Amino acid sequence: NPKEGADERKMGPFKNGGFGLALSAGGPIVRLATVGGFPLRPPQALRPRPGAYRVAFGSPVHPSDFPNRDALRDEVRRRIEALMQSLA
């Protein structure tokens, strides 16, 4: 959970498990980015506030296009950051 006042456009580190699973299963990763959630529901708020919450879906990333888990993880992160910038 992010701290109050945190910049929602800064992602934390990505864990490797999901990317290893995607490589093993061969299924695509569908990218998703959201912007606007923190002002709508701060950590102490019981109810959401009115406002804009934007969501963008990116094209699938196919694990077979990458030589290893780290390359896949880094590319997915780069593409999600690009999606977030498109929403800003």
Side-chain angles (χ1 to χ4, degrees):
N1 292 339
K3 295 186 175 169
E4 187 172 359
D7 185 350
E8 69 181 3
R9 291 170 289 174
K10 292 185 180 176
M11 292 187 290
F14 280 23
K15 306 288 184 178
N16 289 324
F19 298 100
L21 180 62
L23 282 166
S24 297
I29 297 172
V30 178
R31 299 169 295 120
L32 168 73
T34 65
V35 173
F38 291 152
L40 298 182
R41 189 155 187 257
Q44 290 80 20
L46 297 176
R47 297 184 189 147
R49 298 176 181 167
Y53 187 75
R54 294 174 292 180
V55 179
F57 290 90
S59 58
V61 178
H62 299 280
S64 59
D65 293 343
F66 298 88
N68 57 51
R69 179 188 65 200
D70 292 342
L72 174 62
R73 181 198 62 219
D74 294 346
E75 181 61 17
V76 168
R77 182 182 184 94
R78 186 191 69 73
R79 291 185 191 188
I80 290 173
E81 288 173 340
L83 272 178
M84 291 177 75
Q85 288 297 319
S86 74
L87 292 174

